[in-house]
Amino acid sequence: MGSYKIEQRRVSHRGRQFHFVSYDQVIENLARKEVAMPPTWFLMNSGKRWPVMPQVPGQDPLELDQSFVEWLELNIFARA
């Protein structure tokens, strides 16, 4: 079994820096009330993390950054 390698991306958008980190899949654990989740990208801020989208191995970095910008527009800036 291979070891999962965490990836990180920093994206500048609208004059701000955003930090995204990938985490390995989570296997369902009913005792801890954790649902199964595939490898996922999370937005990191102030010691917290929010799920953004599933991680796609080998995804083009520019395409990935554009996906992050689209997510930011829909989930962060649309609320303002």
Side-chain angles (χ1 to χ4, degrees):
M1 180 171 146
S3 178
Y4 181 80
K5 183 179 178 198
I6 292 173
E7 294 183 46
Q8 299 187 48
R9 302 287 300 168
R10 294 192 185 270
V11 175
S12 294
H13 183 61
R14 291 194 182 200
R16 293 175 54 189
Q17 285 276 8
F18 296 91
H19 183 205
F20 296 90
V21 178
S22 69
Y23 284 87
D24 198 5
Q25 69 181 353
V26 174
I27 297 171
E28 183 177 47
N29 183 335
L30 298 177
R32 294 175 66 183
K33 298 181 182 176
E34 294 177 344
V35 297
M37 184 181 291
T40 302
W41 283 102
F42 289 84
L43 172 64
M44 309 299 286
N45 190 17
S46 300
K48 296 182 182 179
R49 66 182 186 180
W50 292 271
V52 174
M53 66 184 137
Q55 182 185 25
V56 178
Q59 187 172 10
D60 177 65
L62 294 177
E63 179 184 304
L64 180 59
D65 289 350
Q66 182 59 40
S67 295
F68 289 146
V69 167
E70 291 170 8
W71 185 89
L72 288 167
E73 283 297 327
L74 289 171
N75 295 279
I76 303 299
F77 294 105
R79 295 179 185 170

